Amino acid sequence: MTDIIFSFDTEDFTSSRAADGILYEANLFREENVKGCFCVVGLLAKQLKEWGRYDVIEALSHHEIGTHTYGHTLHPMINEYTDIEDFNKAQDELIRQETLGIEYIKETFGVDKVWAACPPGNQKSYVAMYGYHKMGIPIYADTFCDTENGTGAYYCNIFHVYYAFGIEWFLRDNGEEGIKKVLDDLAKRERAVIYTHPNMIIKEDFWDAVNYHKENLVPFGEWIEPNDLPSEITETVLKNMRTLIRMIKNDPRFRITTYSELASELEKEGTRVVKKEHVAEIYPQIKENLFPVQNPMSLSLADMMLACRDFLLGKEEHICADVYGFLSKPYEITETIKASKEDIISACSQIKDDEFLPEKIKIGDKFIGPTDWLFAAMEIILGADNVVIEPKPQLPSLDCMPEVRDSNFKGTWQHSDSFEDKYLSDRLRYQSYTMRFRRESNIKL
């Protein structure tokens, strides 16, 4: 059975008229007894009160509320202000802004928990992923970091789900027959997030395309509004949206759920505890394929590295917690290196909890890469006194996440011309050591 989540990018803080789209869609879903997940921009939550749109606020009270960031395309956007070398400085600013946005959301809608964070456009900052997790948000939606079949994946400590299908333009031209074909495709996935932008059933163009393209084009509050769509298009989309909902409700291949229900399922997985005896099972898996494992449990490469450190220091088990990848490219040796058990154990002090992993590890008077150390540590744990370290790749393949593998944010979407993507794309890839999958995931490499 495929889990369906209806997710709404609820974002236009420039037009009270565009908020009618939120009202229409929220009421329609309530009439169909389906809870939608409205990810709201913090500034929109604030504007709804300033506009006196209490009808919209009341309509959303029957649905789940997430965050679509503090300011969406207001410059500097998340990618722009987090593309700096100093991670802590970037994360502090991220948490400052996003906490303010969530305060607006909680104050406007009276909610005490935000279940999902949805980045606008391609704002897939690794800083935001770590930051939202630190803020207690369990789900990161509309992401690059998901499996092909939509099971979801952990990356930078937060659980990611991919947006599978956007409906606002599709429903302008497609009724029951077109919907049937889409549902056949979605039924092949384990989870499908169906998404829409409520403002786009009211307006001809996106609000940020005319107000925030590459820069803040107008002063705050002096916004330009795109033209309204003809009313018949709005009516057609809403009619076909109702058809889509009813077809999914009546199709035994689907189960409609929410981000909060997904978060509850994830919480039931409980604490992961790696025992020293598990190394015998884990080692051949990663030796064959440097990749996170699912047996005996779901483990990232970072989990394994921290666990091996603990085992070498005399512990019999490791309790998995937050993990971090690398801030620069891991070091790769170019020639064979021999190391003793003492060399590998003495390096444990370089691997610390709740910090980014070291890109290179010193043993004696030489350096090796983190994966070199991980393999050597496992061999020592399994009884070796000396190890031979051969040159090898230090990061897992990202072929299962091609958008992460090929990420390049510069010159895309609404980014300013001065935005360089000096750190973000590379560092997103360097976090692959934190990647892991639920045990039931069917990963295709």
Side-chain angles (χ1 to χ4, degrees):
M1 182 176 288
T2 300
D3 281 351
I4 298 290
I5 294 175
F6 287 101
S7 194
F8 302 78
D9 287 9
T10 315
E11 62 190 44
D12 185 353
F13 59 79
T14 68
S15 169
S16 177
R17 165 65 177 138
D20 287 341
I22 308 170
L23 180 67
Y24 299 159
E25 292 183 359
N27 285 340
L28 187 155
F29 272 74
R30 186 187 180 196
E31 290 164 7
E32 295 298 325
N33 199 30
V34 172
K35 181 174 284 191
C37 307
F38 287 79
C39 294
V40 182
V41 168
L43 287 176
L44 171 59
K46 185 172 184 287
Q47 286 299 119
L48 287 173
K49 293 186 75 173
E50 293 192 5
W51 291 328
R53 293 303 307 262
Y54 294 99
D55 54 341
V56 176
I57 295 170
E58 195 283 328
L60 288 179
S61 69
H62 304 283
H63 298 281
E64 185 172 278
I65 304 296
T67 177
H68 197 32
T69 73
Y70 163 77
H72 199 275
T73 332
L74 182 70
H75 296 276
M77 302 184 296
I78 283 179
N79 269 15
E80 292 167 345
Y81 71 75
T82 61
D83 187 37
I84 60 175
E85 184 175 9
D86 189 332
F87 168 80
N88 290 323
K89 182 178 179 181
Q91 187 175 73
D92 286 348
E93 179 61 15
L94 179 285
I95 291 175
R96 185 191 71 78
Q97 289 199 28
E98 295 306 294
T99 297
L100 179 58
I102 289 171
E103 286 175 357
Y104 289 150
I105 288 170
K106 289 181 175 180
E107 179 184 349
T108 296
F109 301 110
V111 296
D112 57 7
K113 177 72 174 179
V114 170
W115 293 101
C118 172
N122 63 355
Q123 301 289 286
K124 312 304 194 269
S125 169
Y126 79 104
V127 179
M129 297 171 191
Y130 283 121
Y132 286 129
H133 167 72
K134 193 172 183 179
M135 293 168 67
I137 298 173
I139 309 294
Y140 192 77
D142 185 18
T143 180
F144 293 166
C145 309
D146 192 359
T147 60
E148 185 177 89
N149 61 356
T151 303
Y154 288 93
Y155 208 96
C156 299
N157 296 324
I158 195 167
F159 192 75
H160 293 243
V161 291
Y162 184 74
Y163 269 13
F165 181 60
I167 58 175
E168 61 252 15
W169 289 280
F170 174 82
L171 293 180
R172 294 182 186 186
D173 302 313
N174 288 276
E176 188 170 340
E177 288 305 311
I179 293 170
K180 282 181 180 178
K181 295 177 182 178
V182 169
L183 295 187
D184 287 341
D185 288 335
L186 295 183
K188 300 172 185 175
R189 301 174 61 85
E190 294 191 32
R191 179 177 300 105
V193 179
I194 296 175
Y195 70 97
T196 186
H197 301 78
N199 54 293
M200 292 307 291
I201 69 165
I202 301 294
K203 296 294 184 178
E204 288 184 348
D205 200 357
F206 277 102
W207 58 281
D208 51 354
V210 296
N211 291 287
Y212 294 102
H213 179 63
K214 295 189 176 184
E215 59 182 303
N216 300 329
L217 298 172
V218 297
F220 194 91
E222 298 179 18
W223 298 300
I224 301 167
E225 287 201 32
N227 293 329
D228 283 6
L229 285 169
S231 59
E232 56 266 27
I233 292 180
T234 301
E235 293 166 3
T236 295
V237 172
L238 291 171
K239 174 178 174 292
N240 290 336
M241 191 174 291
R242 194 181 298 274
T243 298
L244 169 68
I245 297 168
R246 291 179 176 178
M247 289 176 69
I248 290 174
K249 287 170 62 177
N250 295 323
D251 192 324
R253 296 177 297 175
F254 301 109
R255 177 179 77 112
I256 298 175
T257 184
T258 62
Y259 292 128
S260 60
E261 290 174 0
L262 171 58
S264 180
E265 291 175 17
L266 298 174
E267 189 174 355
K268 291 176 183 176
E269 294 177 357
T271 302
R272 294 168 298 126
V273 180
V274 190
K275 297 183 181 297
K276 189 175 180 179
E277 63 200 52
H278 290 148
V279 174
E281 181 178 358
I282 295 168
Y283 177 64
Q285 295 181 61
I286 68 165
K287 187 175 182 181
E288 179 180 354
N289 181 22
L290 180 64
F291 204 68
V293 301
Q294 292 164 268
N295 290 303
M297 67 196 72
S298 169
L299 294 171
S300 67
L301 294 173
D303 288 323
M304 298 177 217
M305 195 164 179
L306 293 171
C308 286
R309 177 210 59 189
D310 283 354
F311 300 150
L312 290 176
L313 293 177
K315 296 183 180 180
E316 293 297 317
E317 65 179 31
H318 169 79
I319 299 174
C320 296
D322 289 351
V323 290
Y324 295 84
F326 308 99
L327 290 179
S328 60
K329 185 178 180 180
Y331 179 79
E332 293 188 10
I333 62 173
T334 57
E335 57 184 17
T336 300
I337 293 177
K338 294 180 180 179
S340 68
K341 179 178 179 179
E342 291 73 23
D343 290 332
I344 301 303
I345 293 175
S346 66
C348 288
S349 62
Q350 300 170 53
I351 303 163
K352 304 182 185 301
D353 291 323
D354 206 29
E355 291 186 10
F356 285 92
L357 295 172
E359 292 85 2
K360 59 182 180 180
I361 295 175
K362 190 172 185 179
I363 56 167
D365 60 353
K366 295 183 179 180
F367 286 99
I368 61 174
T371 296
D372 299 328
W373 183 90
L374 174 61
F375 276 65
M378 288 192 168
E379 291 173 19
I380 297 297
I381 292 166
L382 293 173
D385 289 322
N386 297 283
V387 292
V388 177
I389 303 170
E390 302 284 355
K392 63 177 68 66
Q394 297 297 300
L395 292 172
S397 169
L398 281 168
D399 287 350
C400 65
M401 296 180 182
E403 291 177 271
V404 176
R405 181 195 63 201
D406 303 330
S407 175
N408 184 2
F409 298 122
K410 182 177 173 63
T412 62
W413 198 51
Q414 308 284 8
H415 290 110
S416 66
D417 289 335
S418 61
F419 171 67
E420 297 183 52
D421 192 9
K422 190 173 181 180
Y423 299 100
L424 290 184
S425 287
D426 284 338
R427 284 187 172 176
L428 183 59
R429 287 184 275 271
Y430 299 156
Q431 306 319 303
S432 57
Y433 243 60
T434 71
M435 172 176 59
R436 67 179 180 91
F437 307 93
R438 301 176 75 185
R439 290 197 66 186
E440 65 271 23
S441 302
N442 180 21
I443 310 304
K444 296 181 180 180
L445 302 180

